[in-house]
Amino acid sequence: MKVLDNWRDLSLDELFVWCRELVEDPNYPTVKKWRAAGGKVLGHFQVYFPEEIAFAAGLLPVKVRGAPVEARRGDSHFGSYLCSIMRSSLELALTHKLDLDMFITHPICDAARNLAGVWGRNFAYPAQILYLPQNANSAYAAQYLRGEYERLKREIEKIAGRLVSDSDLREAIGVFNENRRLLREVYAIKRETPWLLAVDEAYVLVALGGFIPRDEHNELLKAVIPQIRDRGARRRDKVRIVFEGGFCEQPPLDMLRVIGQSCYVVDDDLLIGLRWILDDVPADGDLLMNLAAAYLEHSSYSPVQHDLRKPKEKMLLQRIQQAHAEAAIITAAKMCEPGLDEQVAYSKALDEAAIPYFISEFEERMTSFDHLEVQLETFVENLLFE
């Protein structure tokens, strides 16, 4: 079932505007179209979820990532000291802007730990928790995670009304492997020729995959990537930076646009869950074990996964080096304990490596960026003319 219409005749610039409108629309028109045709929807909270399992069952996996909406009803269920994404995500569901058939969250922080309980008290459909391994270094972590995936697969099968066969799962893994390969191409363009693809353009192109069928996302990316490579944009004298801090709550698009006016964002952790697995997942043998092993052994990093093999400071420095970046923007969502905690460690590591950095914070409903723009321009000028 197709949920996107009439995009093939758009110019590249028109396509990016169209993508932005879809990404910023809190009414999720593509999800509503899917449901109107009889499809079922599984919503999953940040950061990572094995969407292949839901896709194999015929469900539409949707990344629940909040929205820049006033959480009038959501605020009554959470304290004001919590991050905005908790309240806005619940607001979308309570106001039926985003209707689901199942919701899954993860204990990535103290706030998210209770999200399934709050969700379950307000909706008739199932609200589950996926318990990702707390000790990723345990020899039993992959086997444990495989069991969690098997448990969730059984719950998803109840919603889908059918069993998920190995053939279904193998096909889904193939679709998502292709999607991750295409997203790696998008990020290769950002690193190698960042003047061809602004950070906000890349963001909407990636984010679109979070609420449309992934095979349809593949179709769009395969058509768009060659057009981006053929763009006639000229290289400008901008600082190459890495943006760090967008692993859960997402910064406003206008904030990314302001950053892009002064800098080339050559790598980032925005929506990292969609790109969490770095290599193709094998499509033979024990497929659930393959997905579990990929999460643990062939994956990126974030402040909410605790893996001694992937110290966050070291991984950030590696990201900066591989992207040939000259500086970093270290940011975090307001009230985000994992993100704000990592800022301290990141700052120390960057100081020791003599890498310039700019620290900031954001909230998804921010609308004014004048102060940020002035500060960032000063930061960039100091780098260019020191």
Side-chain angles (χ1 to χ4, degrees):
M1 174 171 40
K2 301 286 187 181
V3 298
L4 300 180
D5 297 318
N6 304 322
W7 58 268
R8 289 189 177 277
D9 294 330
L10 299 177
S11 69
L12 188 59
D13 289 341
E14 290 171 338
L15 184 74
F16 282 129
V17 171
W18 173 77
C19 287
R20 174 168 182 152
E21 290 173 350
L22 283 176
V23 168
E24 290 191 310
D25 191 338
N27 293 297
Y28 284 87
T30 59
V31 178
K32 284 183 168 58
K33 185 173 182 179
W34 176 272
R35 287 181 60 86
K40 295 185 176 180
V41 179
L42 180 148
H44 58 91
F45 193 66
Q46 305 276 41
V47 171
Y48 172 78
F49 176 76
E51 296 176 300
E52 290 91 336
I53 301 174
F55 186 89
L59 274 62
L60 175 64
V62 172
K63 178 172 278 294
V64 179
R65 53 183 174 80
V69 296
E70 185 176 358
R72 294 182 178 179
R73 297 180 62 182
D75 278 346
S76 65
H77 296 270
F78 293 107
S80 59
Y81 52 84
L82 296 181
C83 56
S84 176
I85 188 175
M86 295 289 169
R87 304 192 297 274
S88 64
S89 294
L90 184 62
E91 181 76 14
L92 293 176
L94 289 170
T95 55
H96 298 286
K97 295 180 184 296
L98 179 60
D99 287 322
L100 306 174
D101 297 282
M102 185 177 188
F103 176 70
I104 295 178
T105 187
H106 324 275
I108 58 173
C109 65
D110 289 341
R113 192 185 312 276
N114 299 305
L115 193 54
V118 173
W119 218 279
R121 288 194 295 270
N122 286 277
F123 302 100
Y125 53 79
Q128 292 274 341
I129 298 176
L130 169 59
Y131 291 98
L132 297 166
Q134 291 299 301
N135 180 8
N137 304 121
S138 167
Y140 193 68
Q143 187 62 45
Y144 160 79
L145 185 55
R146 190 219 178 276
E148 272 293 278
Y149 287 175
E150 180 67 49
R151 176 183 67 83
L152 278 180
K153 182 168 79 73
R154 292 194 296 267
E155 297 299 321
I156 289 171
E157 287 172 339
K158 294 176 185 177
I159 301 299
R162 68 177 182 87
L163 298 177
V164 174
S165 68
D166 280 353
S167 177
D168 294 329
L169 192 52
R170 188 173 297 109
E171 181 181 349
I173 287 174
V175 169
F176 279 77
N177 279 344
E178 181 179 26
N179 188 252
R180 287 184 285 264
R181 286 195 296 269
L182 291 165
L183 293 180
R184 288 196 292 270
E185 284 192 49
V186 171
Y187 270 74
I189 294 173
K190 287 182 60 170
R191 286 191 302 273
E192 297 162 10
T193 52
W195 52 91
L196 296 181
L197 187 63
V199 58
D200 54 314
E201 294 174 335
Y203 180 86
V204 297
L205 202 57
V206 172
L208 194 63
F211 52 89
I212 66 173
R214 205 54 59 87
D215 50 352
E216 201 167 349
H217 192 221
N218 290 347
E219 186 179 345
L220 184 141
L221 289 174
K222 284 188 285 189
V224 170
I225 288 173
Q227 296 180 53
I228 297 172
R229 293 193 184 278
D230 290 339
R231 238 174 172 179
R234 297 177 60 184
R235 182 174 183 171
R236 296 172 60 189
D237 190 17
K238 292 185 179 181
V239 173
R240 295 171 61 94
I241 66 102
V242 162
F243 180 98
E244 191 82 8
F247 62 94
C248 185
E249 184 171 327
Q250 298 300 290
L253 268 172
D254 282 338
M255 175 179 173
L256 296 180
R257 183 185 55 78
V258 166
I259 292 172
Q261 289 175 349
S262 301
C263 311
Y264 285 136
V265 180
V266 291
D267 206 351
D268 57 62
D269 66 343
L270 297 164
L271 294 171
I272 192 63
L274 296 177
R275 304 177 286 116
W276 182 258
I277 295 175
L278 302 177
D279 301 308
D280 282 357
V281 178
D284 56 2
D286 187 335
L287 301 176
L288 290 179
M289 179 59 84
N290 294 347
L291 286 170
Y295 170 80
L296 293 164
E297 306 294 339
H298 306 283
S299 55
S300 187
Y301 69 96
S302 88
V304 298
Q305 189 201 39
H306 308 291
D307 189 333
L308 297 177
R309 299 166 301 177
K310 296 190 288 186
K312 311 303 183 298
E313 308 94 304
K314 180 180 177 181
M315 299 302 290
L316 172 60
L317 293 177
Q318 182 177 311
R319 173 172 278 165
I320 292 170
Q321 181 181 24
Q322 290 177 345
H324 302 291
E326 303 162 82
I329 293 179
I330 307 300
T331 187
K334 292 181 179 179
M335 307 294 183
C336 174
E337 287 189 20
L340 292 169
D341 284 348
E342 289 299 334
Q343 281 190 343
V344 178
Y346 287 154
S347 299
K348 182 179 179 181
L350 292 167
D351 282 335
E352 291 175 352
I355 297 174
Y357 60 93
F358 178 89
I359 288 185
S360 181
E361 64 178 20
F362 65 86
E363 190 175 35
E364 56 189 2
R365 288 185 60 205
M366 285 175 64
T367 56
S368 176
F369 305 98
D370 293 343
H371 189 55
L372 171 67
E373 189 172 10
V374 171
Q375 287 184 318
L376 192 57
E377 286 176 353
T378 302
F379 173 71
V380 170
E381 287 173 2
N382 286 338
L383 292 180
L384 289 173
F385 302 112
E386 66 179 1

